[in-house]
Amino acid sequence: MKITVIGAGYVGLITATCFADLGNEVLCVEKIESNVHKLQKGISHIYEQGLTEILQKNLEEGRIRFTTDMEEAVKFSEIIFICVGTPQSDDGKADLSQVEDVSRQIAQYLNGYKLIVEKSTVPVNTHQWVKKTIARYAHEKSEFDVASNPEFLREGVAIHDFMNPDRIVVGVESEKARTIFEKLYLPFTNEGHPLLITNPAAAELIKHASNSFLAMKISYINMISALCEKVGVDVNMVAQGIGLDNRVGEKFLNAGIGYGGSCFPKDVQAFIKIAEDHGLEFGLLKETEKINAFQRRAFLDKIEDIMWINKDKNIAVWGLAFKPDTDDIREAPAIDVVRELEANGANLSLYDQEAMTNFKNIFPESKRIKYFEDKYQALKDADALLIITEWDEFKQADLKKVKELMRLPIIIDGRNIFEPSDMGEFEYYSMGR
Ligand code: UGA
């Protein structure tokens, strides 16, 4: 099938390359010209496991193209995915100006029937506005449908998630739209992946409700972890004990420094606002946010309890990305930790296998902040090592070497990557254990 994708950001680029890889002919339109030039050469401006390989393969085989020309993109196909940003505005609501702008542009270039699909995360009933906007600005009467098809991709494993979805959710209002989606997603339904077909409002709501539920699950276990510390119980045992109940499930019960990233913090905030706009107070989610903030504070308090005075201490930090397998540092806990320790006058040696370039934009190298290309180099003469992201390479670290390099063998682990019973050589602290 022919597919247009508007926006070559995170969601757009994964959507475009994966649909191309499934054998579709994809045109992806992006307004940032420099990114289009790079993408045309097979260079991705975002880091995502496996993306470069599949991008290059599909460019070579002629199934994907990139352009800045919106008119060409709209006229190219019947199916148009909107994958533009919906960032948080100052009041916590989603800023929908890019969705509105794109809707007006689509309206201008309509040339026959179009199925316009929201993939960006939007508040419930945004499809009504998209529909109204296109109808208002369309220069000729053309038939079109607006549908919702939210994404459930985790950064770092987005291609895997796209190709192996737990479920595909689409919200449609016409038989025609339904039939197009059934055909588009046939490679998945043939393999037994469920396709849930509902109306657009329900699909929009499912996205916010899913992310908020997962954030709530993390905050729940983090609150349990705070209690575990008080009563001397290992939170991992508790998580296992709860998670083995199929009704709860084991996933997303890893206690630690809390959630970050471009999705959970923003989506929980937006969902609270959506409820508020409808006269409902979503106290459960407000508490979710509160616990998440408390967890970062608790990690910093722990450092102070252990180190007493942070000033002039050499502190090594392993992990800056908000989670492993990404270079993304948006809402990363490491930002709060480094900011506070720098203000305390600590000397910080930072290491992350992917996120250092992004981190340098916020914390340039300075007298107190140094970056290292090797995780062990960052440990030289350290008084403590903080672990903030659970990269596999940290789990596999040579602990003998770690101990030899450090001035004091103190590890404060915000992600519980080691077993306390294996850490006899160290003064080892973790979360909720
Ligand atoms: C999340 C959702 O998992 C995706 O389904 C969704 O599509 C995406 O948001 C989105 O809305 O675009 P993502 O933000 O990439 O994906 O990352 P997750 O793997 O969900 O992790 C989010 C945060 O929660 C990370 O900071 C992670 O460290 C933290 N986390 C996760 C925990 O602290 N404990 C856990 O048990 C799991």
Side-chain angles (χ1 to χ4, degrees), residues 5 7-17 30 44-49 51 83-85 151-159 161-162 262-263 322-328 330:
V5 175
Y10 197 80
V11 173
L13 196 49
I14 304 286
T15 302
T17 46
E30 163 61 50
S44 167
H45 53 285
I46 59 165
Y47 169 80
E48 180 64 35
Q49 240 175 57
L51 177 60
C83 302
V84 296
E151 55 85 17
F152 303 105
L153 311 173
R154 290 165 300 163
E155 280 191 39
V157 283
I159 290 172
D161 284 356
F162 191 98
S262 65
C263 304
F322 83 96
K323 66 169 201 174
D325 302 318
T326 175
D327 64 352
D328 196 339
R330 285 175 287 178

Side-chain angles (χ1 to χ4, degrees), residues 11 121 151-155 207 211 214 218 222 251-255 258-264 267 322-323 390 415:
V11 173
T121 301
E151 55 85 17
F152 303 105
L153 311 173
R154 290 165 300 163
E155 280 191 39
K207 170 67 193 199
N211 271 5
L214 292 170
I218 298 167
N222 279 335
K251 291 181 183 154
F252 277 66
L253 282 180
N254 297 318
Y259 61 77
S262 65
C263 304
F264 285 178
D267 290 352
F322 83 96
K323 66 169 201 174
E390 67 277 34
R415 295 291 182 182

Side-chain angles (χ1 to χ4, degrees), residues 142-160:
S142 278
E143 198 198 338
F144 68 91
D145 276 307
V146 174
S148 165
N149 174 209
E151 55 85 17
F152 303 105
L153 311 173
R154 290 165 300 163
E155 280 191 39
V157 283
I159 290 172
H160 170 273

Side-chain angles (χ1 to χ4, degrees), residues 149-150 152 165-170 185 188-189 193-197:
N149 174 209
F152 303 105
D166 286 345
R167 81 298 204 191
I168 297 159
V169 174
V170 299
Y185 283 117
F188 296 95
T189 46
H193 299 280
L195 171 65
L196 175 71
I197 299 186

